[in-house]
């Protein structure tokens, strides 16, 4: 018998029919003898609907009242699911974040969990009940309702699993799991059976929007095995866990992530003296703009170039700031490029395998795709290319590294 924390996202509880299907799934896990804590999201669209209602009244409601409002979405779902369980003869009880005592800081709309009291949940489990908990919400030390930021129910579930030392935290969603890359770009993308927390963080931050990133960080930190799976199918999905739990023959590359929402800024003819990188990038950082890739050339003569990427929406602001700095430091000029994309190969196996980068560059060369910037970390190699070649790059890399279904079938 195991203890599982299950989380059902908005589409999984989007109608009373869907809630009934979730109840059936819970009953069948229950009859296998498992203890279950079930975290629910608001029904799909509900959180947005509530925010829109607030906006009709006040353009900037206080964050405290906004939290009181949006936390109701999850409360509706938890009651409906508990009723569905009762109807099926299953003992169950719903609890809000404050009833559990999911204690957070006081940062309304983006609160962080500080501590979870497991007494109430443990008592209900000992009574033989399934415990249904409202996701996304907590309570601060003064009893104010708080919420954890959009998509926060994932984090609620992982935090509960950590506090209860659950055997596994299962996140039920509307996709089958984590894929080697976006199946909308590569038909042959393959569902991963296992992936490490580190790889998942790289893939998530690069745009694979399966889980709230914070929940993956949390799960990695507390070593909570995390499974992503579909509530619409019977499939074990993807297990996200520690490196030592990977399949023996796990491929060197786990997946390919990409983003199209960046832009590139180049400051050319920057005097090669101490402090210039700080002047350029410090000014950008001070404006609250996130910088992703940064490269500085080796100086030729007594000047150099600095190139960096920012979110496309921040480009104009970044350009203005950098043009100002360029004038004061006597740089030759500033140019920008909006039409770039970043493609990254991710895999913990890279640490122990040489030749990954050269196969990547060879593959891109064969497609005549020009690489503008290269950056690497221990488990990732990223290239910035012209946006118009993005899909071609992802497809050819996916094939070259044998990541697809067909390649796998051929190798066994
Ligand atoms: N209902 C919240 C949202 O839509 C939290 C969640 O679904 O995880 O962001
Ligand atoms: Mg969600």
């Amino acid at each position: 018998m195991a203890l599982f924390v299950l989380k059902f996202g908005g589409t999984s509880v989007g109608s009373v029919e869907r809630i009934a299907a979730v109840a059936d799934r819970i009953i069948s896990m229950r009859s296998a003898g498992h203890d279950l804590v079930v975290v629910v999201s608001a029904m799909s669209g509900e959180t947005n609907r509530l925010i829109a209602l607030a906006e009709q009244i006040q353009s900037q409601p206080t964050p405290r009242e906004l939290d009181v409002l949006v936390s109701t979405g999850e409360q509706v779902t938890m009651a409906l699911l508990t009723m569905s369980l009762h109807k099926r003869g299953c003992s169950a009880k719903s609890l809000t974040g404050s009833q559990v005592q999911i204690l957070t800081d006081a940062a309304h709309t983006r609160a962080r969990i500080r501590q979870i009291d497991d007494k109430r949940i443990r008592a209900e489990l000992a009574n033989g009940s399934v415990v249904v908990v409202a996701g996304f919400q907590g309570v601060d030390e003064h009893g104010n309702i708080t919420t954890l930021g959009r998509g926060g129910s994932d984090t609620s579930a992982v935090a509960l699993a950590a506090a209860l030392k659950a055997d596994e935290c299962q996140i039920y969603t509307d996709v089958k799991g984590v894929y080697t890359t976006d199946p909308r770009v590569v038909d042959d993308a393959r569902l991963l059976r296992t992936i490490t927390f580190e790889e998942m963080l790289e893939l998530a931050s690069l745009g694979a929007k399966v889980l709230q990133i914070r929940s993956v960080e949390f799960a990695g930190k507390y070593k909570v095995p995390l499974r992503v799976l579909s509530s619409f199918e019977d499939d074990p999905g993807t297990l996200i866990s520690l490196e030592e739990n990977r399949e023996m023959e796990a491929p060197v590359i786990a997946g390919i992530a990409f983003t199209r929402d960046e832009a590139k800024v180049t400051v050319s003819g920057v005097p090669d003296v101490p402090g210039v990188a700080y002047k350029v990038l410090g000014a950008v950082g001070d404006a609250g703009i996130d910088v992703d890739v940064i490269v500085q050339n080796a100086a030729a003569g007594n000047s150099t170039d600095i190139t960096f990427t920012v979110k496309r929406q921040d480009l104009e602001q970044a350009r203005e700031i950098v043009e100002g700095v360029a004038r004061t430091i006597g740089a030759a000029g500033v140019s920008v490029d909006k039409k770039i994309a970043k493609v990254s190969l991710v895999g913990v196996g890279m640490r122990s395998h040489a030749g990954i980068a050269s196969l990547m560059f060879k593959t891109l060369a064969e497609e005549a795709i020009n690489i503008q910037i290269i950056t690497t970390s221990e488990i990732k190699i990223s290239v910035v290319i012209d946006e118009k070649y993005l899909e071609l790059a992802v497809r050819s890399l996916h094939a070259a590294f044998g990541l697809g279904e067909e390649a796998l079938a051929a190798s066994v």
Side-chain angles (χ1 to χ4, degrees):
M1 198 179 82
L3 168 60
F4 290 118
V5 173
L6 317 179
K7 181 257 171 176
F8 292 91
T11 45
S12 304
V13 293
S15 64
V16 283
E17 293 75 23
R18 289 300 314 153
I19 291 175
V22 167
D24 288 336
R25 189 181 282 274
I26 291 171
I27 302 273
S28 75
M29 289 185 79
R30 191 74 191 118
S31 42
H34 302 306
D35 278 339
L36 303 176
V37 173
V38 183
V39 175
V40 289
S41 282
M43 295 167 78
S44 57
E46 180 64 8
T47 309
N48 289 341
R49 188 185 74 87
L50 293 168
I51 292 170
L53 279 178
E55 279 167 357
Q56 285 179 44
I57 292 185
Q58 204 179 12
S59 62
Q60 281 189 315
T62 63
R64 183 186 185 280
E65 298 315 316
L66 205 54
D67 275 351
V68 172
L69 178 71
V70 295
S71 62
T72 61
E74 274 68 15
Q75 199 168 327
V76 169
T77 318
M78 77 178 199
L80 293 176
L81 177 60
T82 306
M83 290 172 197
S84 302
L85 290 168
H86 290 167
K87 185 176 161 189
R88 287 163 174 74
C90 173
S91 168
K93 190 173 271 181
S94 67
L95 296 173
T96 63
S98 94
Q99 286 171 328
V100 171
Q101 280 295 302
I102 298 179
L103 195 68
T104 71
D105 60 20
H108 284 291
T109 75
R110 52 186 165 81
R112 295 206 159 240
I113 296 174
R114 282 191 177 154
Q115 201 186 318
I116 293 181
D117 187 350
D118 66 351
K119 277 201 269 334
R120 179 105 188 240
I121 293 182
R122 292 239 186 249
E124 298 295 349
L125 290 174
N127 271 336
S129 291
V130 170
V131 184
V132 182
V133 180
F136 178 53
Q137 56 176 264
V139 64
D140 75 6
E141 59 180 334
H142 303 295
N144 298 301
I145 296 173
T146 54
T147 64
L148 308 179
R150 297 307 303 269
S153 300
D154 291 344
T155 299
S156 306
V158 172
L160 279 164
L164 295 163
K165 301 189 176 56
D167 293 282
E168 197 169 284
C169 180
Q170 303 188 339
I171 308 280
Y172 288 85
T173 176
D174 51 2
V175 295
K176 269 175 116 178
V178 182
Y179 285 81
T180 48
T181 194
D182 188 340
R184 284 168 302 189
V185 171
V186 180
D187 293 339
D188 195 30
R190 183 169 46 86
L191 181 67
L192 291 164
R193 288 300 169 200
T194 55
I195 186 172
T196 69
F197 292 114
E198 273 178 293
E199 288 167 335
M200 186 63 210
L201 282 174
E202 293 292 358
L203 292 173
S205 63
L206 294 165
K209 299 181 199 70
V210 192
L211 285 171
Q212 199 197 32
I213 295 200
R214 244 170 88 193
S215 71
V216 182
E217 283 166 359
F218 214 107
K221 185 164 163 201
Y222 293 97
K223 302 188 168 51
V224 178
L226 189 59
R227 189 180 291 279
V228 182
L229 63 180
S230 166
S231 63
F232 297 83
E233 304 184 46
D234 269 319
D235 187 285
T238 306
L239 177 67
I240 309 165
S241 74
L242 299 168
E243 200 163 337
E244 50 262 34
N245 300 337
R246 279 205 325 163
E247 295 159 14
M248 296 279 278
E249 290 292 311
V252 178
I253 301 299
I256 303 178
F258 54 84
T259 120
R260 312 170 198 261
D261 61 358
E262 290 185 31
K264 186 177 77 170
V265 181
T266 300
V267 194
S268 53
V270 178
D272 185 28
V273 294
V276 287
Y278 171 63
K279 281 190 184 125
V280 173
L281 293 155
V284 175
D286 288 346
I289 298 173
D290 279 335
V291 173
D292 181 23
V293 177
I294 304 172
V295 282
Q296 179 183 314
N297 264 336
N302 47 17
S303 75
T304 181
D305 294 345
I306 296 176
T307 298
F308 59 92
T309 65
V310 294
K311 287 255 170 303
R312 220 170 265 184
Q313 72 210 39
D314 294 332
L315 177 63
E316 282 318 312
Q317 200 193 346
R319 182 220 293 259
E320 260 172 50
I321 293 169
V322 171
E323 280 174 346
V325 177
R327 277 191 293 276
T328 60
I329 61 176
V334 175
S335 59
V336 300
D337 185 352
K338 268 189 204 180
K339 297 208 160 78
I340 58 158
K342 189 175 74 182
V343 179
S344 307
L345 288 184
V346 175
V348 293
M350 245 183 238
R351 282 197 197 112
S352 49
H353 280 75
I356 302 295
S358 70
L359 178 56
M360 182 182 200
F361 305 152
K362 175 170 174 253
T363 307
L364 296 173
E366 280 167 1
E367 299 294 344
I369 298 172
N370 187 40
I371 301 172
Q372 302 179 12
I373 305 179
I374 301 168
T375 58
T376 63
S377 75
E378 232 192 329
I379 68 159
K380 179 175 81 172
I381 307 174
S382 306
V383 294
V384 171
I385 58 173
D386 186 330
E387 189 191 12
K388 69 173 180 262
Y389 300 121
L390 174 63
E391 306 210 337
L392 176 62
V394 174
R395 279 194 209 111
S396 48
L397 290 169
H398 199 266
F401 283 92
L403 295 178
E405 295 282 8
E406 275 172 38
L408 195 74
S411 74
V412 289

